[in-house]
Structures are given as structure tokens and as C-alpha cells.
């Protein structure tokens, strides 16, 4: 590729887009049409990744003005964990476990040393194990 294309590609490529590209195209062999398809695949991935990254960064900068400064940096951590939670809640069991963990954490909030987090984890894991065993027992019966 010409120097300017390599520089732009190097700037836009992230870890994930590189891994996806090398998994799909492990070797650079092929004719011109295949190489063009490889470039198009990489360009599509890096465009989506870069746009999402920059767009969310700009949204964060803009929306940060609406968050009171006395909430502190801990609020940003909570927002990050909330985003992870929403992406991982992909089944009913996971949604139930998140809800149970939330309720247990709030119910045990008065415990010292932030032990409410440990109680929340234990409650969610215990409930999920019970529900999973019940599900397996129902499958064995039927």
C-alpha cells in the first residue's frame, strides 16, 4: 500500500479490528480482487470501531457537563459497570442474577468494609446455582 494508506490504516486499526482481520485473512496471499476485499473488510471494521470510539468519547465529554462534580469519579465507575451489565444481561438467568445481586447489595448496605458487595455476589451465585439445578432436574424428568 502507499505510505499514506498505511499511515491511515495504522492510525485507525485497534487491537480488536486487527485480531478480527488476521483471523479472517491469516495470509496476505491472493489476487488484486482478493486484496481489495481484504482492504474493504479492514476499512469497514476500523471505520465502525473508530466512529463508535470517537462518538462515545464526544458524547461523554458533552454529557459530563450535566453530572455534578460532587458526585466524584466513583459515579463514572458506576456508569462503566452499568454499561458492562447491560451488555452481559443476555439471558433471563443473567437478568435475574443481576437483579438479585442489586437487591442484596442494597439490603446489606449497612455492613462494614463494603461487605454488601460480597453478600450480593454470594446471593446471586447461590440463586443461579439453585435455578440451574432446578432446570436440569426438569430436563431429566421430561
Amino acid at each position: 500500500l502507499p505510505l499514506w494508506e498505511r499511515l491511515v490504516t495504522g492510525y485507525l486499526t485497534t487491537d480488536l479490528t486487527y485480531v478480527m482481520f488476521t483471523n479472517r485473512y491469516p495470509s496476505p496471499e491472493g489476487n488484486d480482487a482478493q486484496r481489495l476485499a481484504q482492504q474493504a473488510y479492514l476499512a469497514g471494521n476500523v471505520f465502525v470501531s473508530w466512529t463508535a470510539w470517537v462518538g462515545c468519547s464526544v458524547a461523554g465529554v458533552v454529557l459530563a457537563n450535566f453530572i455534578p462534580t460532587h458526585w466524584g469519579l466513583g459515579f463514572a465507575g458506576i456508569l462503566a459497570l452499568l454499561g458492562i451489565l447491560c451488555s452481559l444481561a443476555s439471558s433471563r438467568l443473567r437478568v435475574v442474577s443481576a437483579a438479585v445481586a442489586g437487591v442484596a447489595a442494597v439490603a446489606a448496605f449497612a455492613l462494614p468494609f463494603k461487605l454488601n458487595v460480597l453478600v450480593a455476589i454470594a446471593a446471586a451465585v447461590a440463586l443461579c446455582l439453585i435455578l440451574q439445578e432446578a432446570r436440569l432436574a426438569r430436563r431429566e424428568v421430561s
Side-chain angles (χ1 to χ4, degrees), residues 88-128:
L88 292 176
S90 57
S91 69
R92 286 186 297 182
L93 186 60
R94 289 180 178 179
V95 171
V96 168
S97 68
V100 166
V103 168
V106 171
F109 185 74
L111 291 176
F113 308 116
K114 297 191 179 193
L115 288 174
N116 63 324
V117 175
L118 185 61
V119 169
I121 292 169
V125 168
L127 179 71
C128 286

Side-chain angles (χ1 to χ4, degrees), residues 21-43:
F21 178 78
T22 56
N23 281 341
R24 181 148 181 172
Y25 301 107
S27 63
E29 301 159 357
N31 59 25
D32 289 339
Q34 290 170 333
R35 288 193 180 170
L36 186 61
Q38 292 175 6
Q39 289 173 334
Y41 179 81
L42 182 61

Side-chain angles (χ1 to χ4, degrees), residues 18-96:
Y18 179 75
V19 168
M20 289 174 61
F21 178 78
T22 56
N23 281 341
R24 181 148 181 172
Y25 301 107
S27 63
E29 301 159 357
N31 59 25
D32 289 339
Q34 290 170 333
R35 288 193 180 170
L36 186 61
Q38 292 175 6
Q39 289 173 334
Y41 179 81
L42 182 61
N45 278 341
V46 299
F47 175 75
V48 169
S49 177
W50 185 84
T51 303
W53 184 271
V54 171
C56 289
S57 296
V58 169
V61 169
V62 170
L63 294 175
N65 291 326
F66 299 107
I67 298 173
T69 55
H70 69 274
W71 286 4
L73 194 55
F75 184 70
I78 291 170
L79 288 179
L81 291 175
L82 188 61
I84 292 170
L85 169 77
C86 290
S87 68
L88 292 176
S90 57
S91 69
R92 286 186 297 182
L93 186 60
R94 289 180 178 179
V95 171
V96 168

